[in-house]
């Protein structure tokens, strides 16, 4: 792998930041993209987010930086932009690098940190990951069976929130810490993901009429209400 190679969307003014850590490695962590310091020094996860990851979260899983491999979905900062990578950028950059990095890393487990990294599963043809519902829960992924997969690999993937989210919102630190603790237990064979065998019927209800229709035959006694504001400025979700 050479940082001189570039994907089709690279603007050629940025530094390509390849993965860091031993190869092969049993665990590969994939984040979103290099930060400012990472792009300046050419090494992933060495800034403020990297400090959280290296010295706070990894230890909760019983891991250390020198025994894992870490990379990003998008390998350059694209003109110092801090925007979330677009699907076009993910497809181009991951298509250039991720398959080669996974091949050389030979991991047993890939941890996908953040929505951008988790999108590799859906963009490869697998069932898209709902990070809010699935964070910290291992999923078996058959990427080698999917033509043109951005993640051409068969094995366990573990979706997690990106460590940077804890810096932006301290409330996010608790689920991140819990997920890393569970990751360590799972790797040591001391935890298994619970199996939900209760039938679920998830539907989006957008009008009062739909709500009345869907509840008419159910005989519900309780209706959960989420008071968190939605994107339209309304105060309630049902």
């Amino acid at each position: 792998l050479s940082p001189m190679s570039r994907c089709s969307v690279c603007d050629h003014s940025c530094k390509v930041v390849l993965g860091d850590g031993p190869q092969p490695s049993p665990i590969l962590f994939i984040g979103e993209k290099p930060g400012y310091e990472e792009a300046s020094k050419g090494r992933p996860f060495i800034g403020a987010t990297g400090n959280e990851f290296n010295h706070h979260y990894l230890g909760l899983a019983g891991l250390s930086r020198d025994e894992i491999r870490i990379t990003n979905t998008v390998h350059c900062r694209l003109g110092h932009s801090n925007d979330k990578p677009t699907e076009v950028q993910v497809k181009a950059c991951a298509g250039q690098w991720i398959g080669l990095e996974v091949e050389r890393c030979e991991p047993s487990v890939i941890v996908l940190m953040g929505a951008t990294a988790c999108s590799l599963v859906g963009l490869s043809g697998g069932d898209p990951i709902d990070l809010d519902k699935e964070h910290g829960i291992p999923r078996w992924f058959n990427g080698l069976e999917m033509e043109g997969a951005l993640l051409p690999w068969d094995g366990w993937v573990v979706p997690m929130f990106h460590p940077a989210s804890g810096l932006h919102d301290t409330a996010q630190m608790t689920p991140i810490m819990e997920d890393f603790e569970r990751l360590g237990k799972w790797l040591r064979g001391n935890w298994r993901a619970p199996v939900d065998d209760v039938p679920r019927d998830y539907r989006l209800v957008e009008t009062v009429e739909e709500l009345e229709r869907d509840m008419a035959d159910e005989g519900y006694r309780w209706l959960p209400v989420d008071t968190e504001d939605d994107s339209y400025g309304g105060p309630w979700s049902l």
Side-chain angles (χ1 to χ4, degrees):
L1 297 176
S2 170
M4 299 302 293
S5 302
R6 295 180 180 274
C7 72
S8 60
V9 300
C10 184
D11 63 11
H12 293 262
S13 67
C14 60
K15 179 178 290 186
V16 177
V17 182
L18 299 180
D20 179 67
Q23 305 187 101
S25 175
I27 307 176
L28 173 64
F29 287 82
I30 302 179
E32 182 180 277
K33 67 180 186 303
Y36 176 79
E37 189 164 353
E38 287 83 356
S40 300
K41 298 182 179 178
R43 188 183 178 206
F45 283 81
I46 58 170
T49 299
N51 186 62
E52 286 289 294
F53 175 78
N54 298 329
H55 303 295
H56 187 55
Y57 295 127
L58 274 178
L60 296 174
L63 300 171
S64 61
R65 176 69 182 254
D66 61 3
E67 64 182 317
I68 60 100
R69 181 83 178 170
I70 189 164
T71 189
N72 281 301
T73 308
V74 172
H75 286 61
C76 59
R77 195 165 167 78
L78 294 174
H80 304 295
S81 171
N82 201 35
D83 295 338
K84 181 182 177 66
T86 66
E87 184 174 313
V88 171
Q89 292 168 345
V90 169
K91 287 181 176 180
C93 200
Q96 172 87 3
W97 297 110
I98 292 297
L100 294 171
E101 292 198 289
V102 170
E103 181 181 351
R104 296 197 176 187
C105 182
E106 300 178 4
S108 300
V109 175
I110 294 179
V111 180
L112 302 171
M113 299 189 296
T116 297
C118 288
S119 73
L120 291 172
V121 169
L123 294 175
S124 294
D127 292 333
I129 291 174
D130 186 330
L131 188 54
D132 286 333
K133 294 179 181 177
E134 299 182 59
H135 65 91
I137 301 176
R139 176 203 285 201
W140 185 264
F141 178 63
N142 294 112
L144 292 176
E145 299 178 1
M146 302 170 186
E147 185 176 354
L150 296 181
L151 190 61
W153 178 77
D154 287 352
W156 290 101
V157 296
V158 183
M160 287 193 179
F161 295 117
H162 196 285
S165 63
L167 295 176
H168 302 312
D169 179 4
T170 55
Q172 282 288 93
M173 296 183 71
T174 297
I176 297 174
M177 293 169 62
E178 292 174 345
D179 285 349
F180 270 88
E181 287 179 346
R182 278 196 299 267
L183 174 65
K185 293 177 181 178
W186 177 69
L187 291 172
R188 295 187 293 271
N190 296 328
W191 180 83
R192 288 193 297 176
V195 177
D196 185 358
D197 56 2
V198 178
R200 307 289 180 181
D201 181 9
Y202 294 105
R203 282 176 282 179
L204 178 63
V205 178
E206 298 183 288
T207 67
V208 173
E209 289 75 17
E210 290 178 355
L211 179 64
E212 291 175 342
R213 182 197 64 206
D214 291 343
M215 295 188 67
D217 299 325
E218 302 295 344
Y220 293 121
R221 293 186 58 203
W222 301 97
L223 179 65
V225 177
D226 183 355
T227 59
E228 181 176 327
D229 288 352
D230 61 29
S231 57
Y232 301 100
W236 310 105
S237 295
L238 300 178

